[in-house]
Amino acid sequence: MSDRHVYEYALLRVVPRIERGECVNAGVLVYCRARSYVGARTHLDEGRLLALDPRVDLPGVRAALRAVEGVCAGGDAAGQAAGDDPGRRFRWLIAPRSTIVQPGPVHTGLTADPAAETERLLDLLVR
């Protein structure tokens, strides 16, 4: 039997001006049901974001990204989602929304270590 498990992931995108459709990748969400894992890692390239919109609310964007990481971490940082299982928290985070921080489409893969995969995807797709 393989030690690798199916996982799902989605990028977190910052869309400062919805009418222009431009975005900056700012994080990744990963969910692995077999490991009961949900995690998020974020990295905001403020220079790239300011190039798209010099008036963007940087503190607001940083707060939204921290909130996503908090929901994934669970506990007090997850607020009302603290009691939800990892899959439910992931599904809530990837639900389409028209806010400045938006999830991208969901993709799948195989991994033996979901936390390490989260970091790898952040390096590959965001940084």
Side-chain angles (χ1 to χ4, degrees):
M1 177 164 240
S2 173
D3 62 341
R4 295 184 344 152
H5 303 282
V6 173
Y7 71 93
E8 300 172 71
Y9 74 95
L11 285 170
L12 289 174
R13 299 173 175 163
V14 179
V15 184
R17 294 179 57 195
I18 194 76
E19 70 277 8
R20 293 185 60 152
E22 299 168 329
C23 67
V24 173
N25 291 344
V28 64
L29 299 165
V30 173
Y31 170 59
C32 180
R33 181 177 177 204
R35 293 285 181 96
S36 295
Y37 173 86
V38 64
R41 292 280 289 127
T42 63
H43 171 80
L44 183 60
D45 185 330
E46 294 179 4
R48 289 182 69 201
L49 187 56
L50 289 168
L52 295 181
D53 184 358
R55 295 172 292 167
V56 68
D57 177 11
L58 285 175
V61 171
R62 285 191 295 266
L65 292 171
R66 279 192 309 273
V68 169
E69 289 180 327
V71 169
C72 287
D76 292 339
Q80 291 181 326
D84 291 341
D85 63 74
R88 186 171 170 93
R89 285 183 276 149
F90 179 75
R91 298 285 173 239
W92 182 79
L93 289 167
I94 62 165
R97 50 185 48 94
S98 59
T99 60
I100 193 165
V101 176
Q102 301 177 7
V106 176
H107 306 280
T108 61
L110 293 171
T111 187
D113 185 347
E117 191 67 17
T118 305
E119 193 66 35
R120 185 187 79 78
L121 290 169
L122 183 74
D123 287 340
L124 179 68
L125 303 171
V126 178
R127 289 191 176 134

